[in-house]
Amino acid sequence: MVDVYLVSGFLGSGKTTLLMRLLQQAKEEGKKPAVFMNEFGDTNIDGQMIETKDGAIPMREMLNGCICCTGSEQSEAEIQTILVEHPDVDVLFIETTGAAHPVEALDAVFSPLFADQITFKGIITVVDLQRFAARDRMSPQMQVLFMEQIRHANFIVANKMDTLTDSELASVMIHLAQLLPNVPLVQTTDAKVNVRDIFDSLQQTVEVASYGETEHVHHHLQSKSFIVERPVHRERFEEWIQQLPDSVYRMKGYVRLDEIRTYSVQYAYGMIQWLPEMMKMKPVLVFIGDHVQALDIPESIYA
């Protein structure tokens, strides 16, 4: 099993600086880390920093796209490549573009292709405190994204504390603590944080495995996967999916409609998409959302 950490945060918050520290700590502990980086443009300057300083670390990158939308399938392929080409890797750090929504970024992480090979440890969000203090000056859309990145964090690195006065710093830290009262929060300059504190905190991940089901529970977002060995009845399956609570943000995986035909099936925002799958894929469904640990597959969906 490979431990996976998602490093999130708005543009320019200090994600790559923190990533360098995470990699160094992992190596000092005898782990074999790998990196997947996402950059919105066609040149990954941050990735060049990783390659220059840590050339022995396997790294894949995706340019000109976002891990959370059009680049989801490519992201899955890049992560799969790391797992296949570097079987000795035991920890993977994924740095998202600053424009990525954390819920949708997890789409690539909870892929049915390798759900049984990873343990997702959580989202480490780097918050630019100066930008947080001046968030009202952001456009409404960017402000929503900025706050969503914070709301879904499992660990917050409150960075650039040196850019604020003492009174401003006290105000924003109180506000952040009120937003996420149960999430660990450290304030830093230049992302200088005790990385061991992050790793220890994110050991709170709960895993439950029984009867072919796996459940990953985190502070806010959760995932649950099911092995679906028997063929499903398409219409009854769709009826069940459409009745799922709004707290289920995403579902994807592979199912059989009979003993021969395998389909890729995806669900998001009330829409279900079916695509015939030419390759023989493991029949598994992965759900992402809030409180998905209560989900169970009803017998009625089977053919």
Side-chain angles (χ1 to χ4, degrees), residues 120 204-208 215-219 221-223 293:
F120 183 68
Q204 297 177 35
T205 297
V206 177
E207 287 189 295
V208 179
E215 175 184 336
H216 300 283
V217 181
H218 315 287
H219 299 289
L221 292 176
Q222 303 159 2
S223 78
Q293 73 273 18

Side-chain angles (χ1 to χ4, degrees), residues 225-261:
S225 61
F226 298 91
I227 303 298
V228 189
E229 295 288 2
R230 294 152 53 194
V232 304
H233 186 282
R234 178 165 175 164
E235 287 74 21
R236 293 199 296 267
F237 179 85
E238 289 188 352
E239 287 176 4
W240 172 59
I241 293 297
Q242 294 290 4
Q243 293 172 8
L244 291 173
D246 293 338
S247 56
V248 177
Y249 303 135
R250 191 79 162 92
M251 179 278 295
K252 60 182 178 178
Y254 303 96
V255 296
R256 286 177 294 131
L257 294 183
D258 52 39
E259 294 300 330
I260 300 175
R261 294 179 298 167

Side-chain angles (χ1 to χ4, degrees), residues 1 39 81 85-86 91 105 128 131 163 168 177 222 230-232 245 250 258 274 278 281:
M1 298 293 286
E39 181 56 57
T81 298
E85 294 185 353
H86 304 279
V91 57
D128 181 334
R131 190 180 293 276
T163 63
E168 289 172 337
Q222 303 159 2
R230 294 152 53 194
V232 304
R250 191 79 162 92
D258 52 39
W274 296 83
M278 298 298 104
M281 306 300 294

Side-chain angles (χ1 to χ4, degrees), residues 70-130:
T70 56
S72 180
E73 290 186 1
Q74 182 183 343
S75 300
E76 290 185 14
E78 297 291 357
I79 294 171
Q80 177 79 335
T81 298
I82 291 175
L83 298 176
V84 170
E85 294 185 353
H86 304 279
D88 57 339
V89 163
D90 49 25
V91 57
L92 172 64
F93 297 103
I94 300 175
E95 182 186 331
T96 68
T97 172
H101 189 291
V103 175
E104 297 175 346
L106 288 181
D107 234 11
V109 179
F110 291 123
S111 169
L113 294 173
F114 44 78
D116 59 345
Q117 300 176 50
I118 66 170
T119 301
F120 183 68
K121 291 296 187 179
I123 301 173
I124 307 166
T125 300
V126 185
V127 179
D128 181 334
L129 291 179
Q130 186 177 41

Side-chain angles (χ1 to χ4, degrees), residues 35-47:
V35 176
F36 172 60
M37 298 186 76
N38 178 208
E39 181 56 57
F40 220 69
D42 57 7
T43 302
N44 190 352
I45 301 300
D46 294 335

Side-chain angles (χ1 to χ4, degrees), residues 7-232:
V7 182
S8 176
F10 205 71
L11 300 160
S13 60
K15 296 188 297 298
T16 304
T17 303
L18 176 64
L19 176 61
M20 302 288 284
R21 302 189 192 284
L22 293 168
L23 289 171
Q24 185 61 37
Q25 180 71 33
K27 290 170 66 178
E28 289 175 359
E29 294 182 2
K31 295 183 181 297
K32 296 182 178 179
V35 176
F36 172 60
M37 298 186 76
N38 178 208
E39 181 56 57
F40 220 69
D42 57 7
T43 302
N44 190 352
I45 301 300
D46 294 335
Q48 293 175 16
M49 291 171 55
I50 299 291
E51 288 181 324
T52 299
K53 297 184 179 182
D54 295 282
I57 294 178
M59 189 183 81
R60 305 288 296 187
E61 59 186 11
M62 185 183 73
L63 305 178
N64 277 326
C66 184
I67 187 174
C68 68
C69 44
T70 56
S72 180
E73 290 186 1
Q74 182 183 343
S75 300
E76 290 185 14
E78 297 291 357
I79 294 171
Q80 177 79 335
T81 298
I82 291 175
L83 298 176
V84 170
E85 294 185 353
H86 304 279
D88 57 339
V89 163
D90 49 25
V91 57
L92 172 64
F93 297 103
I94 300 175
E95 182 186 331
T96 68
T97 172
H101 189 291
V103 175
E104 297 175 346
L106 288 181
D107 234 11
V109 179
F110 291 123
S111 169
L113 294 173
F114 44 78
D116 59 345
Q117 300 176 50
I118 66 170
T119 301
F120 183 68
K121 291 296 187 179
I123 301 173
I124 307 166
T125 300
V126 185
V127 179
D128 181 334
L129 291 179
Q130 186 177 41
R131 190 180 293 276
F132 183 83
R135 62 191 179 282
D136 291 343
R137 301 176 196 169
M138 302 171 73
S139 70
Q141 283 185 321
M142 288 298 99
Q143 187 175 159
V144 167
L145 173 62
F146 181 65
M147 296 305 292
E148 282 289 282
Q149 290 175 341
I150 295 171
R151 187 172 76 86
H152 290 290
N154 302 121
F155 193 102
I156 291 222
V157 176
N159 199 28
K160 303 186 182 181
M161 57 179 286
D162 57 318
T163 63
L164 302 177
T165 65
D166 289 346
S167 61
E168 289 172 337
L169 180 61
S171 176
V172 296
M173 292 303 292
I174 289 172
H175 196 160
L176 279 172
Q178 290 173 339
L179 279 174
L180 298 167
N182 299 316
V183 174
L185 171 66
V186 295
Q187 56 189 51
T188 69
T189 296
D190 198 29
K192 291 179 180 177
V193 60
N194 185 340
V195 174
R196 174 39 56 192
D197 288 345
I198 298 177
F199 290 152
D200 288 345
S201 174
L202 295 179
Q203 291 302 319
Q204 297 177 35
T205 297
V206 177
E207 287 189 295
V208 179
S210 62
Y211 303 105
E213 301 176 8
T214 302
E215 175 184 336
H216 300 283
V217 181
H218 315 287
H219 299 289
H220 303 291
L221 292 176
Q222 303 159 2
S223 78
K224 188 168 186 178
S225 61
F226 298 91
I227 303 298
V228 189
E229 295 288 2
R230 294 152 53 194
V232 304

